[in-house]
């Protein structure tokens, strides 16, 4: 009798193991799709920001919608985590509005979109890494290139570089 019960237990463990593996594969698929989408949007908007000092705002908005759709299908982050991740971009938008565009509104919108893919902590890590890279570049431009403090530098290329470091 005991042997039959042990066999049932093994079967149950196998089924649960297969379920766990399927869930991991689904999350990996969602992560791969999300990483690829965010990387593509960051690359396009970073190029636009670098060349024109402005971006097409519809692309990050569409990316944010795509991030929410991925959330509905794969649920890698909690709902609150995504809202807080978007909140980082919302704060940047507020700073852009209050600071009369000392920070571009496109930077805030892009951070809101990335928040839907990365969640709060991932987006915060992305922001701080990008700020660090931008500060290093600004120091180089001030000291070596002798640019003035009023020199405007696009931020999205640093966001792209930070995301590439985050992926690696």
């Amino acid at each position: 009798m005991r042997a039959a019960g042990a066999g049932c237990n093994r079967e149950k463990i196998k089924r649960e193991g297969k379920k766990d593996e399927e869930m991991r594969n689904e999350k990996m698929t969602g992560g791969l799709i999300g990483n690829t989408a965010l990387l593509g949007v960051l690359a396009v908007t970073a190029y636009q920001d670098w060349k024109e000092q402005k971006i097409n705002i519809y692309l990050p908005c569409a990316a944010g919608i795509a991030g929410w759709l991925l959330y509905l299908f794969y649920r890698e982050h909690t709902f609150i985590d995504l809202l807080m991740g978007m909140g980082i971009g919302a704060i940047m938008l507020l700073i852009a509005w209050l600071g009369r565009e000392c920070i571009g509104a496109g930077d805030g919108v892009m951070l809101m979109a990335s928040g839907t893919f990365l969640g709060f902590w991932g987006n915060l890590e992305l922001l701080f890494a990008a700020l660090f890279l931008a500060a290093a570049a600004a120091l180089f431009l001030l000291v070596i290139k002798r640019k003035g403090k009023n020199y405007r530098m696009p931020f999205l290329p640093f966001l792209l570089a930070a995301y590439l470091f985050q992926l690696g």
Side-chain angles (χ1 to χ4, degrees):
M1 206 55 147
R2 233 178 149 96
C8 289
N9 254 352
R10 276 188 236 137
E11 288 299 317
K12 184 179 177 183
I13 290 170
K14 278 184 183 178
R15 279 193 308 259
E16 287 175 1
K18 284 183 181 180
K19 270 187 182 176
D20 288 343
E21 187 177 332
E22 287 173 10
M23 286 176 62
R24 271 194 304 274
N25 287 341
E26 271 188 27
K27 284 192 174 190
M28 284 176 53
T29 302
L32 180 62
I33 293 169
N35 288 341
T36 305
L38 183 57
L39 183 61
V41 170
L42 271 171
V44 169
T45 55
Y47 181 76
Q48 286 177 345
D49 197 20
W50 179 50
K51 283 292 190 186
E52 303 165 16
Q53 297 268 322
K54 63 181 179 177
I55 66 167
N56 180 349
I57 210 79
Y58 297 113
L59 188 58
C61 289
I65 293 168
W68 278 106
L69 289 174
L70 277 174
Y71 164 75
L72 291 175
F73 289 108
Y74 296 107
R75 304 222 183 226
E76 288 187 36
H77 303 283
T78 65
F79 181 75
I80 298 298
D81 192 32
L82 292 185
L83 285 180
M84 288 174 55
M86 288 180 68
I88 293 170
I91 290 170
M92 292 286 283
L93 273 173
L94 184 64
I95 292 170
W97 182 66
L98 292 175
R100 295 184 188 96
E101 291 286 320
C102 63
I103 296 172
D107 302 331
V109 172
M110 191 63 233
L111 277 165
M112 285 182 74
S114 64
T116 63
F117 291 94
L118 302 174
F120 177 73
W121 293 109
N123 209 26
L124 193 63
E125 180 184 336
L126 178 70
L127 174 62
F128 281 128
L131 288 172
F132 176 78
L133 292 171
L139 185 64
F140 172 79
L141 289 171
L142 278 171
V143 174
I144 306 297
K145 294 288 187 175
R146 306 269 187 224
K147 298 285 184 185
K149 64 180 181 180
N150 293 330
Y151 180 74
R152 292 186 58 91
M153 208 169 48
F155 183 66
L156 287 179
F158 298 105
L159 212 58
L160 172 63
Y163 187 62
L164 289 172
F165 282 124
Q166 203 172 20
L167 287 176

